[in-house]
Amino acid sequence: MKLQRMNRRALALGALAVSGALALTACGSDDTSTGSGGSSAAAKPGSIKCDDAKGQLLADGSSAQKNAIDAWVKQFAVACQGVQINYKGGGSGAGVTAFTQGRVAFAGSDSALKPEEVTASKKVCSGGQGINLPMVGGPIAVGYNVNGVDNLVLDASTLAKIFNNEITNWNDPAIKKLNPDAKLPDLKIQAFHRSDDSGTTDNFTKYLMATAKKDWPYDGGKTWQAKGGQSASGSSGLAQQVKQTNGAISYFELSYAKDGMKTVDLDTGAAQPVKASVENATKAISEAKVVGTGKDLALELNYGTKAEGAYPMVLVTYEIVCDKGNKSDTLPATKAFLRYIASEEGQKVLAENDYAPIPADIISQVRTTVDGLS
């Protein structure tokens, strides 16, 4: 990406006024030239503080943030050559389990720790507990592959019925009503969901529960509960199924909707359907509230917003770490990496890779908390 293009895009996105003062200062989500590890703006020399960080840092969790982690690691590794970061990205459920079993220095999860998980974390956080640090925001895109249909609008009720195996064909009257000008084929819908425990699933179903409860009679969580459908592992697995299957539809973080994949516009009740984009997700995330206590910064998202241009099917990925009692051999590297990704430079990398930065007032609290980890 040429510097001139970056500057034009930075100025445009920087002008975006959002309640919560979320400024996007890098390439926007309509630029598909970046992608996994594709950050084009290197951190300024000396801006990444390595301190005494060294050795190998193991982490696991959210596949939704994997592309962001890859981009961050690429920059961090240049500055802190004594640290090797291995982020597996095996899903939020796997990450939380690995953390509470003491197998990783930190975990990524698209859902905040449950009370029982906090209790379990106290066994590995000597004198402390696991806390949630919101670090990555972004839209959950609904990708689809239907030959001849380049634009598709769905609402929460229709989505719920599709993923609950109640709407099974692409020319169903409910889909036709939302897309009167589309040439919808007589084609079976192939709905794919996550086979592994997933924070993306948790947030996707929270959206359905908040906006289409009568059509989504489930209580949510990381484990898929609805009937029917097909499954695949990880966001990358779901994206691959959509790419190769005519009639397919699935949900994953926007950064996985690459290579010309088409995504659904949401009818939220606003005047116009809303596209899955960083800018539109930003408007929804700006309404988030901190509901965690103490050093925990768990957020409450407003999935039901009908604000113009706000894309409410969003998630926030937390980095989960011990507030106290971190292992002495990994603490310096953990703090150095988390300090970088929460920094202004680190958050700028997100928008370049189809993610949304965390609101300024919240990320400032994250930085203070990271500095106090022990």
Side-chain angles (χ1 to χ4, degrees):
M1 184 185 297
K2 294 182 179 179
L3 183 58
Q4 184 179 8
R5 182 182 172 196
M6 285 181 64
N7 288 338
R8 289 201 305 268
R9 201 174 290 275
L11 288 172
L13 291 178
L16 180 64
V18 182
S19 60
L22 251 174
L24 302 180
T25 56
C27 299
S29 63
D30 58 338
D31 180 1
T32 57
S33 65
T34 53
S36 181
S39 170
S40 59
K44 297 177 182 178
S47 63
I48 298 178
K49 298 180 179 179
C50 305
D51 295 333
D52 298 322
K54 59 183 179 180
Q56 187 178 45
L57 199 62
L58 299 179
D60 193 5
S62 165
S63 66
Q65 72 164 359
K66 182 64 164 59
N67 291 339
I69 291 286
D70 287 348
W72 279 328
V73 168
K74 183 178 180 180
Q75 302 291 352
F76 187 80
V78 173
C80 304
Q81 297 182 12
V83 181
Q84 180 183 353
I85 299 177
N86 183 354
Y87 182 80
K88 187 177 179 181
S92 296
V96 171
T97 297
F99 178 76
T100 56
Q101 292 178 351
R103 293 188 280 112
V104 293
F106 71 90
S109 176
D110 308 320
S111 303
L113 291 172
K114 296 179 181 178
E116 61 269 26
E117 293 168 340
V118 173
T119 299
S121 74
K122 294 179 180 180
K123 297 179 181 179
V124 297
C125 301
S126 180
Q129 66 179 49
I131 55 173
N132 303 283
L133 302 179
M135 207 71 79
V136 181
I140 300 173
V142 177
Y144 70 96
N145 180 354
V146 181
N147 291 341
V149 180
D150 294 326
N151 297 287
L152 185 68
V153 175
L154 296 175
D155 58 16
S157 175
T158 307
L159 274 173
K161 291 177 181 178
I162 287 173
F163 282 92
N164 199 31
N165 205 35
E166 293 180 2
I167 292 178
T168 58
N169 202 287
W170 280 108
N171 64 356
D172 187 275
I175 302 177
K176 283 185 175 181
K177 184 177 180 181
L178 292 165
N179 301 273
D181 298 326
K183 295 181 179 179
L184 297 166
D186 182 6
L187 176 68
K188 179 177 173 59
I189 294 175
Q190 307 282 348
F192 287 87
H193 58 266
R194 288 280 287 271
S195 58
D196 53 322
D197 283 359
S198 161
T200 309
T201 292
D202 190 16
N203 284 275
F204 176 66
T205 56
K206 279 179 179 176
Y207 168 76
L208 296 178
M209 290 164 58
T211 55
K213 183 61 179 176
K214 67 183 181 69
D215 298 311
W216 194 256
Y218 305 103
D219 56 10
K222 296 186 182 75
T223 303
W224 185 257
Q225 297 175 319
K227 60 187 179 182
Q230 302 178 65
S231 64
S233 178
S235 294
S236 58
L238 292 182
Q240 184 60 38
Q241 290 297 332
V242 171
K243 290 177 184 177
Q244 67 187 23
T245 308
N246 186 32
I249 186 171
S250 191
Y251 58 92
F252 30 76
E253 224 285 333
L254 181 63
S255 66
Y256 290 90
K258 295 293 184 182
D259 303 323
M261 184 184 295
K262 295 167 288 190
T263 59
V264 168
D265 295 349
L266 284 183
D267 182 344
T268 63
Q272 297 293 330
V274 187
K275 292 185 177 299
S277 72
V278 170
E279 297 92 333
N280 295 341
T282 290
K283 294 180 182 180
I285 294 172
S286 69
E287 298 183 19
K289 298 178 181 179
V290 175
V291 293
T293 58
K295 294 182 178 180
D296 185 81
L297 298 175
L299 302 179
E300 181 179 81
L301 300 170
N302 182 11
Y303 297 102
T305 182
K306 296 180 180 180
E308 295 298 327
Y311 185 88
M313 193 189 299
V314 296
L315 58 77
V316 167
T317 299
Y318 302 94
E319 311 312 331
I320 295 171
V321 66
C322 296
D323 58 352
K324 298 178 181 179
N326 289 279
K327 295 179 181 179
S328 59
D329 58 336
T330 58
L331 178 59
T334 299
K335 290 183 69 171
F337 183 66
L338 295 182
R339 184 188 297 119
Y340 162 59
I341 67 178
S343 70
E344 183 178 348
E345 292 84 359
Q347 289 289 297
K348 284 180 180 179
V349 170
L350 293 176
E352 298 173 8
N353 291 273
D354 292 330
Y355 295 95
I358 299 300
D361 57 334
I362 296 174
I363 202 65
S364 65
Q365 297 179 59
V366 173
R367 292 166 187 156
T368 299
T369 303
V370 170
D371 285 340
L373 297 178
S374 62

